[in-house]
Amino acid sequence: MLIKNLWLPASILIISSCSPKIQFNASPPIITKGDSVFLNWKIKGEPTLMFDQRKIAHAPDDSLELLEFTLSVEKRGKTKYIKRQITVLPAQSVDRVALFTTDIKGDTLIAEGVKDSAAWKHFQIVSISSLSNDAFTVIHDGVTATIKNTDLPDGSWKNKNYAGDWIIMRQLSDAEKQDHSKIPGSLEIQVLIQQRKN
C-alpha cells in the first residue's frame, strides 16, 4: 500500500441542519512513494472516506501516480462529497522548469519564473540538464552555472532547494537576431529531483 502512515484527525460536528457540510484537506500536495499523507476534515453528517490510486501520464516522466481521496457526507437523505488529489512521485523523478521569456538584454534572451514553494518546498535538486544543444546559463538558489550539453547533467545545484526563483538565459541565434518573431516564448530545462530527507 502506498500510504505508510495515515493520520486522520476528524472532528464531527453535531449541529441540527438539513444538508451535509464538509471541509476537507489533504496534504502535502506532492509526495514520494512511502510517504505519509495527512487528512483533516470537519463535517456535519455521516462520513465515508474512499481513495483511488492510478498512473498518470505527465511528460517527461510517465512513472507518476495520482492518489485521490473522496470524502462523502450523508445527512437526512442528502449527500455531498469533496475530492482531494495528491501527486505521487518515484524516489527520484524528472521535472521541467519552463519559464516565459521576460526580457532581451543585448544578445541575451532572459526567462524568469518561480517554482511554487507550497508544492515543492520538500524537494531538492539532484542535477539539471538541457533539453537542447543550446548553452543555457541558469541562476537558482544562489548558484549560477552554464549547461552546455544535453548528455551531461550538471550537479552544481545538488541538494539545493527546488522551489524558489529561477532565471534561464541563452544567447540569441543569428536568425533570432534578424527576425524577432523567431524568438521562443519560453526557455526550458530538465531537473532531476528527490524529496529532501530530514
Side-chain angles (χ1 to χ4, degrees):
M1 185 178 208
L2 170 66
I3 306 170
K4 184 167 49 177
N5 298 309
L6 182 61
W7 180 57
L8 303 173
S11 301
I12 299 178
L13 304 178
I14 303 173
I15 299 174
S16 179
S17 176
C18 292
S19 61
K21 305 287 185 186
I22 308 177
Q23 291 180 356
F24 180 38
N25 294 305
S27 63
I30 301 171
I31 62 171
T32 55
K33 289 187 177 183
D35 290 333
S36 298
V37 173
F38 298 94
L39 305 179
N40 189 328
W41 67 74
K42 290 183 180 180
I43 63 167
K44 294 178 187 176
E46 186 66 31
T48 301
L49 178 66
M50 297 176 291
F51 74 92
D52 182 39
Q53 182 177 344
R54 61 184 180 274
K55 292 278 189 184
I56 56 175
H58 184 277
D61 191 341
D62 62 358
S63 62
L64 302 182
E65 294 179 354
L66 189 67
L67 186 60
E68 184 175 80
F69 294 92
T70 304
L71 180 64
S72 63
V73 177
E74 190 274 332
K75 186 174 184 182
R76 296 183 182 177
K78 296 181 180 179
T79 303
K80 184 175 181 180
Y81 70 91
I82 294 180
K83 294 180 182 288
R84 294 290 181 252
Q85 295 179 335
I86 305 288
T87 302
V88 184
L89 306 177
Q92 288 189 347
S93 60
V94 174
D95 196 36
R96 289 184 179 176
V97 177
L99 308 178
F100 290 114
T101 53
T102 56
D103 201 2
I104 299 173
K105 291 187 178 176
D107 291 340
T108 303
L109 183 61
I110 301 170
E112 300 179 72
V114 177
K115 272 292 183 181
D116 181 30
S117 180
W120 298 106
K121 66 182 176 183
H122 299 295
F123 289 85
Q124 64 186 23
I125 298 169
V126 177
S127 63
I128 295 177
S129 56
S130 174
L131 292 164
S132 70
N133 290 320
D134 295 324
F136 292 99
T137 298
V138 179
I139 303 171
H140 174 68
D141 204 21
V143 176
T144 302
T146 300
I147 304 168
K148 296 181 180 178
N149 192 310
T150 56
D151 299 325
L152 298 173
D154 191 297
S156 301
W157 292 269
K158 186 171 177 63
N159 299 327
K160 293 288 188 178
N161 295 318
Y162 184 45
D165 295 327
W166 287 81
I167 299 174
I168 304 173
M169 299 181 289
R170 77 157 170 79
Q171 294 295 305
L172 293 171
S173 68
D174 290 337
E176 290 168 345
K177 290 175 189 176
Q178 292 174 9
D179 182 358
H180 280 197
S181 69
K182 295 182 178 180
I183 294 173
S186 65
L187 297 179
E188 189 172 5
I189 56 173
Q190 185 167 274
V191 185
L192 182 63
I193 58 173
Q194 66 184 13
Q195 189 157 15
R196 187 177 297 283
K197 304 303 178 188
N198 294 327

